[in-house]
Amino acid sequence: MGGFVFAMRAIAADSFPGKPPVASFVGRVVSVRGSVVDGRFEDGLPPIHSILHAKRNGGIAIEVLTQLDRYHVRGVGLNPTEGLAKGDLLEASGEPLMAPVGKGILSRMFDVFGRPIDRLPAPENVRWRSVHGAPPPLARRTTHSEILETGIKIIDLLSPLERGGKTGLFGGAGVGKTVLLTEMIHNVAGHHHGVSIFCGIGERCREGEELYRDMKETGVLPNMVMVFGQMNEPPGSRFRVGHAALTMAEYFRDDEHRDVLLLVDNIFRFIQAGSEVSGLMGQMPSRLGYQPTMETELSQLEERIASTDTGAITSIQAVYVPADDFTDPAAVHTFSHLSASIVLSRKRASEGLFPAVDPLKSTSRMLAASVVGERHYSVARNVRHTLAQYEELKDIIAMLGVQQLSAEDRNTVYRARRLERFLTQPFFTTEQFTGMDGRSVKLDDTLAGCERILADEFKDAPESALYMIGGADEAKLEDKAKP
């Protein structure tokens, strides 16, 4: 038996996913329950987070999540476990899941194992690093605050993004999270001088293919990396793909000293995958069925997204909100990690006000006079105050009509309705569906347009003149052209 074990430890698993290991732990499968696999090892246990490999169906990777006793470990499959049977051989080098890093990964698309999925040869001149990294120490983090313009009026005005910060796009199903995220990629990545990394967690393969094609057409792909754990993949794969993308981002920040734009769609799917893994492992669920370790797992991911003295990781994350319930634990725990929260409203989407950003619920810690300047802060405060007053008057308007309001309140309503329409905007990424040319608006033009509306300059212009335009000058030209 000893000779057999020694011989098996020398086998290199060439067909295994990811980086092929040289076995130093050899065991056998003792049970398979869906994605959960138990293994027995006579000569020492592989460490937690190490990858077990089984030569079945071209190679099955299993991540060790717990050591049951002195001989047994339990792990979850990172790819389908069909065909795996009791008694099958398990090999492990003791290494965790690895991700490729280096300049060779630019313009490529990978899965959670670092294998290219863009039908191109494997990248050259890459190194492999563990996906389990530690957050940068506090002494290395920067405290400098700087605004990242997106060219989207309502976001730059009321919920400005922080360069090197974390922004969440919150919304239920079908309110435009992915469309808004894609538009921000188009606007920001085009003039972003660093590296862009897109991480698709549990999303549709159609969206990944469309994004790859769009980025290639716009010329952004040479400075972009895409990593996908698709919706049809096992929960273990979807749970680790975020860590793999973050490992690549940390390489460009720490080794290449470049700024990184990290885009995640969708962070809720990461939490959902963790919940599935937790249930498979037999852990008792906590509130609303989520895993008891949800906050810890989310923090381990989010705290690695940080700006240091060598570079910044700016993260924009789409967050699905189940049943539009913002008190859901997944949404609540995600809120606490963000510097800006952009909340999408189903009601605004039904009214055709796109992007359907709720101006009263969206917030940013950057919206302070000391950061954005006195002018921006004052305009944003006046816009939000006007829209809040309009919201309070809606019940009275529904019962009695606008004409029953005082002259001052009627003016507030007229200003608010024009502001709502001015803050809509046609997107570049939806041109083929809407037939309208996309617009990217500078912050100064947005501030100037809001100031003119608040000063009643467009009081006599129809509300439709301000709908789906760029700067306010476009509304003025359109108004002159009207009979």
Side-chain angles (χ1 to χ4, degrees):
M1 180 68 181
F4 171 76
V5 171
F6 178 80
M8 291 309 302
R9 286 182 176 178
I11 294 176
D14 295 329
S15 61
F16 294 157
K19 183 183 179 184
V22 175
S24 57
F25 298 92
V26 178
R28 296 281 180 178
V29 174
V30 295
S31 70
V32 182
R33 299 183 306 281
S35 293
V36 176
V37 179
D38 288 359
R40 179 180 177 88
F41 292 81
E42 299 286 349
D43 299 329
L45 295 180
I48 302 294
H49 296 320
S50 62
I51 299 297
L52 311 179
H53 296 272
K55 281 187 176 178
R56 183 71 78 136
N57 291 350
I60 296 173
I62 302 153
E63 182 178 20
V64 176
L65 294 184
T66 183
Q67 296 174 338
L68 300 175
D69 54 40
R70 62 183 295 185
Y71 294 115
H72 294 88
V73 297
R74 177 169 293 167
V76 63
L78 300 184
N79 42 6
T81 57
E82 281 87 358
L84 194 62
K86 183 176 180 179
D88 281 353
L89 189 68
L90 293 174
E91 298 175 357
S93 65
E95 292 185 339
L97 182 66
M98 297 287 193
V101 298
K103 293 181 179 179
I105 67 174
L106 289 173
S107 76
R108 302 302 302 273
M109 183 187 292
F110 300 95
D111 64 6
V112 69
F113 299 109
R115 298 178 299 199
I117 54 176
D118 50 8
R119 300 181 181 177
L120 296 175
E124 299 178 354
N125 300 322
V126 298
R127 303 195 301 273
W128 294 83
R129 286 187 182 173
S130 168
V131 302
H132 303 282
L138 289 175
R140 287 192 55 209
R141 301 198 181 207
T142 61
T143 57
H144 177 67
S145 297
E146 185 181 350
I147 298 300
L148 179 68
E149 283 193 35
T150 65
I152 301 173
K153 291 182 287 189
I154 193 168
I155 293 177
D156 290 341
L157 174 68
L158 299 177
S159 187
L161 274 56
E162 178 186 11
R163 187 183 296 277
K166 286 169 278 196
T167 301
L169 307 180
F170 291 84
V175 295
K177 296 184 301 297
T178 300
V179 172
L180 185 56
L181 183 65
T182 307
E183 182 71 8
M184 294 170 81
I185 295 173
H186 179 279
N187 291 0
V188 177
H191 56 78
H192 177 69
H193 299 298
V195 175
S196 300
I197 295 180
F198 182 89
C199 177
I201 305 178
E203 291 301 303
R204 303 161 188 85
C205 58
R206 167 185 60 79
E207 295 173 347
E209 188 275 333
E210 290 174 353
L211 179 67
Y212 181 83
R213 180 162 23 90
D214 292 342
M215 296 301 102
K216 192 171 184 178
E217 290 175 358
T218 56
V220 175
L221 195 59
N223 284 313
M224 194 168 192
V225 185
M226 299 185 189
V227 192
F228 285 94
Q230 298 174 40
M231 187 177 282
N232 64 320
E233 296 185 14
S237 175
R238 288 181 271 122
F239 186 61
R240 287 300 178 212
V241 70
H243 298 89
L246 198 46
T247 301
M248 298 176 185
E250 289 170 335
Y251 163 80
F252 287 108
R253 180 193 65 190
D254 299 334
D255 293 40
E256 298 285 339
H257 297 175
R258 300 176 69 177
D259 287 347
V260 181
L261 181 63
L262 177 63
L263 307 129
V264 183
D265 188 11
N266 179 312
I267 203 70
F268 173 79
R269 305 295 180 200
F270 167 78
I271 295 173
Q272 192 177 46
S275 179
E276 291 181 51
V277 170
S278 175
L280 289 169
M281 297 296 291
Q283 295 180 346
M284 185 71 70
S286 62
R287 185 182 166 212
L288 298 183
Y290 288 105
Q291 65 270 38
T293 54
M294 177 178 67
E295 187 171 4
T296 300
E297 292 168 357
L298 185 62
S299 298
Q300 287 173 343
L301 184 74
E302 295 282 3
E303 289 303 304
R304 291 170 63 183
I305 304 173
S307 299
T308 67
D309 48 8
T310 58
I313 298 179
T314 304
S315 176
I316 302 174
Q317 309 168 11
V319 186
Y320 168 69
V321 180
D324 293 338
D325 179 14
F326 285 88
T327 64
D328 188 271
V332 171
H333 286 299
T334 306
F335 266 120
S336 62
H337 292 281
L338 305 174
S339 57
S341 301
I342 299 170
V343 178
L344 301 181
S345 164
R346 191 173 301 279
K347 184 173 182 295
R348 290 179 65 85
S350 67
E351 294 172 355
L353 300 175
F354 294 104
V357 176
D358 191 319
L360 302 180
K361 293 182 180 178
S362 301
T363 59
S364 172
R365 71 179 186 185
M366 293 292 100
L367 194 58
S370 58
V371 178
V372 298
E374 192 62 46
R375 181 196 178 198
H376 184 168
Y377 177 74
S378 176
V379 171
R381 183 179 59 185
N382 290 337
V383 167
R384 190 166 278 163
H385 178 67
T386 302
L387 295 175
Q389 284 183 303
Y390 176 44
E391 194 67 29
E392 293 174 357
L393 294 170
K394 280 185 177 179
D395 289 340
I396 300 176
I397 295 171
M399 290 185 293
L400 304 176
V402 178
Q403 300 306 319
Q404 300 302 315
L405 299 176
S406 66
E408 182 179 348
D409 285 345
R410 281 202 303 274
N411 286 334
T412 298
V413 171
Y414 296 148
R415 289 189 204 110
R417 289 181 62 84
R418 283 162 175 76
L419 283 170
E420 282 185 335
R421 280 144 186 81
F422 176 66
L423 293 176
T424 62
Q425 187 171 340
F427 282 175
F428 292 99
T429 53
T430 58
E431 286 179 354
Q432 58 181 323
F433 306 112
T434 63
M436 293 184 287
D437 293 337
R439 298 285 194 279
S440 178
V441 185
K442 294 182 179 179
L443 178 59
D444 286 341
D445 294 337
T446 301
L447 296 177
C450 292
E451 287 172 336
R452 293 167 67 181
I453 294 172
L454 291 169
D456 290 335
E457 186 173 327
F458 294 95
K459 184 176 182 180
D460 298 325
E463 294 174 0
S464 59
L466 293 161
Y467 180 68
M468 284 293 172
I469 62 171
D473 288 338
E474 295 182 32
K476 191 172 183 180
L477 293 173
E478 182 180 333
D479 188 38
K480 283 182 179 179
K482 285 183 177 293

